Amino acid sequence: MKKSLLLLCLSILLAGCGKDKDKARLELAQMEIPYTERHFIENAGQGNADATRLFLDAGIDIETRNNEGQTALMAASLGERVEVVKLLIERGANPNAANRFRGTALMTASWKGNAEIVRLLLEKGADLNLKDDRGMTALMFAAWENHPEIVDVLIKKGADTEIRDNNGWTSLMRAAFKGHVEVVRVLLAHGANADSVSGDGRTARDLAQEKGWSEVAQMLTKE
């Protein structure tokens, strides 16, 4: 009964003024999707491009956030929803918006290893060298999670290999600690400094040796 009444009211409103926003809200109601900020972000994260488009057409704030400070673009990046990411970027979503941990969509896409989303965000001006509250950059996330293709893309677009996190670690140190051979190779090829010293006086080679990653340690010794 309540649903029928709601649809009737929206139909009358649409017929009376013919506004695009009213039409979009009516379509959302027909899909049984409440017009709320929470549902907007959830649908973006779930990859529901049609619903996301209707929310935007209905006038929702594209930069609205949930309790974690997450925007729809961040949710779509986390869910690796390429189509929704494209839509949100085309509609003006801020690629540098940060959540309450200062994390961005680019950091998330780099951590997840989604090269397509990384490229989409970079094309729209995502800042390569922003840090989250731990001092982590997108490059550090990609290095830590063993995504050499993304490491290469980020550096070619201008990511700084010598930025340090809150522990004084560089991206090379993070890759060496995890034993990620290909990531270390890419970083070294792009000129990452193997002699940089962390806050507690260790180099990337020291970290690799401590963890037993002999191949990585040898690569760093040769450099």
Side-chain angles (χ1 to χ4, degrees):
M1 179 67 180
K2 290 182 178 179
K3 178 185 173 183
S4 298
L5 182 59
L6 175 61
L7 290 174
L8 176 61
C9 291
L10 287 172
S11 297
I12 293 172
L13 183 61
L14 176 60
C17 59
K19 293 182 179 178
D20 290 339
K21 289 183 179 180
D22 296 327
K23 180 181 178 182
R25 293 194 188 193
L26 174 60
E27 290 186 41
L28 284 169
Q30 291 172 332
M31 295 166 68
E32 299 187 2
I33 299 175
Y35 180 68
T36 68
E37 295 175 345
R38 178 173 68 84
H39 286 89
F40 168 52
I41 295 171
E42 286 180 357
N43 275 273
Q46 293 164 2
N48 191 337
D50 290 337
T52 301
R53 185 177 293 104
L54 287 171
F55 273 107
L56 295 171
D57 290 344
I60 202 151
D61 181 359
I62 199 169
E63 299 301 330
T64 192
R65 298 164 183 269
N66 61 19
N67 292 336
E68 299 296 314
Q70 186 182 52
T71 64
L73 181 60
M74 293 177 202
S77 296
L78 179 61
E80 300 187 72
R81 311 300 188 178
V82 176
E83 184 180 357
V84 176
V85 169
K86 287 180 180 178
L87 169 64
L88 290 166
I89 287 176
E90 289 170 358
R91 298 290 284 267
N94 179 7
N96 293 316
N99 61 27
R100 70 185 185 90
F101 306 105
R102 300 211 306 270
T104 66
L106 181 62
M107 292 176 195
T108 297
S110 298
W111 167 61
K112 297 289 285 188
N114 194 304
E116 187 172 2
I117 292 179
V118 166
R119 290 188 173 92
L120 285 170
L121 292 167
L122 291 175
E123 287 171 4
K124 292 299 179 179
D127 191 327
L128 289 151
N129 297 316
L130 291 177
K131 293 182 176 184
D132 71 3
D133 59 3
R134 295 168 295 175
M136 293 276 288
T137 64
L139 181 61
M140 290 178 187
F141 279 110
W144 186 252
E145 293 299 327
N146 198 24
H147 301 307
E149 177 188 358
I150 292 175
V151 168
D152 185 60
V153 169
L154 292 172
I155 296 175
K156 286 178 178 177
K157 290 292 186 178
D160 188 342
T161 61
E162 301 310 309
I163 289 179
R164 296 169 181 271
D165 63 20
N166 294 350
N167 294 316
W169 284 24
T170 62
S171 297
L172 182 60
M173 291 175 193
R174 285 191 160 275
F177 180 82
K178 293 291 287 286
H180 296 326
V181 175
E182 289 306 314
V183 172
V184 168
R185 182 174 287 115
V186 171
L187 285 164
L188 290 174
H190 284 292
N193 186 1
D195 296 321
S196 292
V197 179
S198 68
D200 59 4
R202 293 181 292 177
T203 64
R205 180 173 181 272
D206 294 332
L207 293 169
Q209 287 181 321
E210 289 171 17
K211 297 297 292 183
W213 306 121
S214 58
E215 184 176 358
V216 172
Q218 290 173 1
M219 290 169 65
L220 293 165
T221 300
K222 291 177 184 178
E223 291 295 321

